[in-house]
Amino acid sequence: MKRSISLLTFAGAAAGAAPALAADLSVTVEVPKLTVAEYHKPYVAIWIENPADSTAAGTLAVWYDADNREDKGAKWLKDMRQWWRKAGREMSFPADGISGATRAPGPQKLVFAGSKGALKDLKPGAYNLVVEAAREVGGHEAVRVPFTWGKPGKPASAKGASELGAVTVSVK
């Protein structure tokens, strides 16, 4: 009898130690350097979208000019139209853990912990990572990358045509 209790205890401890969901969402967003007369860093929103109904499951990051005089940087967030309609207009800025400064051209690497923010309560399943960019005196673009939350998998990527370069997402 002692032996069976020991095995059950060990099996229960091992099952409790196994993670139920993937721990991190790794994202790389390439901000291209554009050769234009007047270059401005883009405002960028990164969020998770339910592919079935295109609703926002959560905002991961918003890059904008938070130091703009009289907080006029937030005024231009609505230029990221898709994100603004689905999630942005209901947020107040700066948003703790989400807001950040605009980024320079080049690859921008981000890691979002599964135990925090929008990922904390995200149910396992298929989603789109959406990266939307808008630039003053420039264009607008959104890139969608499908991924599966809940288990590690191969990286997925998509490429923008003008305002965004390659966007890669992987669940680790």
Side-chain angles (χ1 to χ4, degrees):
M1 188 65 166
K2 285 183 181 180
R3 183 174 180 198
S4 63
I5 292 173
S6 301
L7 289 175
L8 288 175
T9 304
F10 177 76
L21 293 175
D24 297 329
L25 187 69
S26 296
V27 177
T28 302
V29 176
E30 185 178 348
V31 177
K33 176 64 175 157
L34 304 174
T35 308
V36 293
E38 188 177 341
Y39 180 82
H40 297 274
K41 295 176 188 173
Y43 279 28
V44 174
I46 303 170
W47 79 94
I48 298 170
E49 177 182 74
N50 293 309
D53 59 5
S54 297
T55 59
T59 299
L60 298 172
V62 178
W63 304 339
Y64 73 105
D65 188 2
D67 293 331
N68 194 305
R69 281 180 282 133
E70 300 171 18
D71 199 31
K72 296 208 177 179
K75 171 183 176 183
W76 305 108
L77 290 173
K78 61 185 96 168
D79 284 353
M80 295 178 289
R81 297 181 297 271
Q82 294 175 41
W83 167 77
W84 183 255
R85 289 180 190 131
K86 294 176 184 182
R89 72 174 87 193
E90 296 175 13
M91 297 177 69
S92 56
F93 288 91
D96 191 30
I98 294 174
S99 299
T102 56
R103 307 282 176 103
Q108 305 298 324
K109 297 179 187 215
L110 308 146
V111 177
F112 301 99
S115 60
K116 298 179 182 176
L119 297 175
K120 185 171 91 174
D121 297 322
L122 193 65
K123 306 266 188 267
Y127 295 94
N128 288 326
L129 177 86
V130 185
V131 180
E132 185 174 13
R135 212 169 35 84
E136 182 181 355
V137 192
H140 170 268
E141 185 170 33
V143 174
R144 283 176 171 71
V145 183
F147 72 98
T148 302
W149 179 247
K151 60 181 180 180
K154 293 182 180 179
S157 63
K159 187 172 170 123
S162 58
E163 297 300 325
L164 292 167
V167 175
T168 305
V169 60
S170 64
V171 179
K172 299 193 179 219

